[in-house]
Amino acid sequence: MYGIEIDEQYRCCNRIHNPEDIIVKIGSAEIGGGHFCMIAGPCSVESEEQIVGIANEVKKAGADLLRGGAFKPRTSPYDFAGLKAEGLRLLSIAKKETGLPIVSEIMSPRDLELFEDVDVLQVGARNMQNFELLNELGMIHKPILLKRGPGNTVNELLMSAEYIMSKGNRQVILCERGIRTFCEHTRNTLDLSAVPLLKGLSCLPVIVDPSHATGISRLVPPMALAAVAGGADGLMIEVHNDPEKALCDGPQALRPEEYAAVAEKVRQIRAVL
Ligand code: PEP
Ligand code: MN
């Protein structure tokens, strides 16, 4: 290979150089090093009533963090692209009401100041190799949830983490959310083996998003449980009070009671492990 050996290209998170797990702390929640974290909430923030209602429900079901997209990367430019600054304001209201820290996707470094009250900045799958964004996020002092691109390898994901970490920010959480394959029934194919693989190669926490990995709500609970059994450090699950009317990703959203049921099963599996 030309240049530096591949496992030297991600020094900061390489297990060889950092045998200890990195534990990312978000308020009272911790992730990695044996600590497990549940992130739940709608694909996108739609209204105050919606986000506060869902936040209360997922909190009741034991979620550690609330997710909600305000800046939505959409395949079609004509689809709902999020409430933007207003969405972040509504997330802040839900955070104040429930005490749950919030996770939201940032698409451009130019929006950074709007994210002041956001606890975890998400880099979406489509932006995994937006190197300008990764460099900027490397210079802030907040956890970054880095999602694997649907067409990206495990090494590429680790090198994207390296962009962030080499700038000084070591609080990175990796997320497997499915990759694109020839399987046409599901939105993506959940690459579950990436979880133990990543945990062996790097010291970073690894979570699984079974919602985007499958695109079908019925498949979310079994894949969530499989991810936990496979050693994931956390789950990110989309939850909506009225999936049929959701402005984004309704078909993969769990209703609050379905989320509560899978969260309970996750606790049972973790107890066995
Ligand atoms: C999301 O989490 O809302 C999202 C857009 O996911 P992904 O980037 O994995 O497609
Ligand atoms: Mn979504």
Side-chain angles (χ1 to χ4, degrees):
M1 196 200 140
Y2 177 75
I4 307 170
E5 288 298 318
I6 200 113
D7 64 357
E8 290 295 307
Q9 292 186 335
Y10 49 90
R11 291 191 69 85
C12 297
C13 67
N14 194 324
R15 192 58 93 184
I16 294 172
H17 306 300
N18 312 273
E20 297 280 304
D21 286 338
I22 286 184
I23 299 171
V24 176
K25 296 188 170 61
I26 310 136
S28 60
E30 289 183 321
I31 179 155
H35 302 277
F36 187 86
C37 194
M38 290 288 276
I39 306 171
C43 180
S44 58
V45 180
E46 298 171 5
S47 67
E48 179 172 340
E49 194 189 4
Q50 176 241 22
I51 190 66
V52 172
I54 296 172
N56 278 313
E57 295 276 6
V58 299
K59 181 173 179 162
K60 213 164 53 184
D64 304 288
L65 274 87
L66 173 69
R67 68 150 282 148
F71 290 83
K72 296 301 306 173
R74 300 304 301 270
T75 302
S76 162
Y78 306 116
D79 283 338
F80 173 64
L83 297 178
K84 314 244 168 25
E86 172 65 3
L88 294 177
R89 191 182 72 80
L90 300 180
L91 271 172
S92 285
I93 293 173
K95 171 178 171 176
K96 208 178 267 170
E97 192 122 332
T98 58
L100 289 178
I102 52 184
V103 185
S104 201
E105 175 166 355
I106 182 162
M107 287 169 61
S108 163
R110 107 186 138 222
D111 299 327
L112 251 178
E113 58 190 49
L114 296 173
F115 281 72
E116 205 181 318
D117 196 36
V118 177
D119 300 277
V120 178
L121 304 193
Q122 175 173 321
V123 176
R126 295 159 178 87
N127 268 316
M128 190 201 90
Q129 288 187 315
N130 180 339
F131 301 119
E132 294 267 2
L133 179 62
L134 300 177
N135 280 332
E136 286 294 324
L137 298 180
M139 291 186 277
I140 66 168
H141 302 286
K142 275 186 185 184
I144 308 298
L145 173 50
L146 177 63
K147 298 187 93 174
R148 178 182 181 186
N152 288 111
T153 64
V154 158
N155 274 329
E156 286 165 348
L157 174 60
L158 291 171
M159 283 188 245
S160 289
E162 189 74 13
Y163 266 88
I164 300 167
M165 297 176 82
S166 60
K167 287 278 187 297
N169 185 356
R170 292 178 56 78
Q171 304 172 82
V172 177
I173 302 160
L174 303 175
C175 180
E176 164 58 38
R177 44 75 75 205
I179 52 173
R180 183 161 285 186
T181 69
F182 55 80
C183 178
E184 80 269 45
H185 286 90
T186 49
R187 183 174 179 181
N188 290 288
T189 297
L190 178 57
D191 180 9
L192 213 44
S193 62
V195 175
L197 188 61
L198 283 164
K199 287 179 65 76
L201 292 171
S202 95
C203 54
L204 293 172
V206 182
I207 70 167
V208 167
D209 168 353
S211 306
H212 292 89
T214 61
I216 302 169
S217 60
R218 186 174 68 80
L219 303 186
V220 170
M223 291 302 96
L225 300 179
V228 175
D233 297 298
L235 292 170
M236 179 151 86
I237 297 180
E238 286 189 346
V239 179
H240 199 283
N241 53 316
D242 191 356
E244 274 88 53
K245 296 212 179 75
L247 295 180
C248 187
D249 287 351
Q252 68 195 34
L254 296 189
R255 293 171 200 283
E257 61 276 17
E258 293 169 329
Y259 173 74
V262 71
E264 178 52 32
K265 284 194 185 143
V266 165
R267 283 189 281 274
Q268 289 171 6
I269 295 213
R270 284 194 39 81
V272 175
L273 295 174

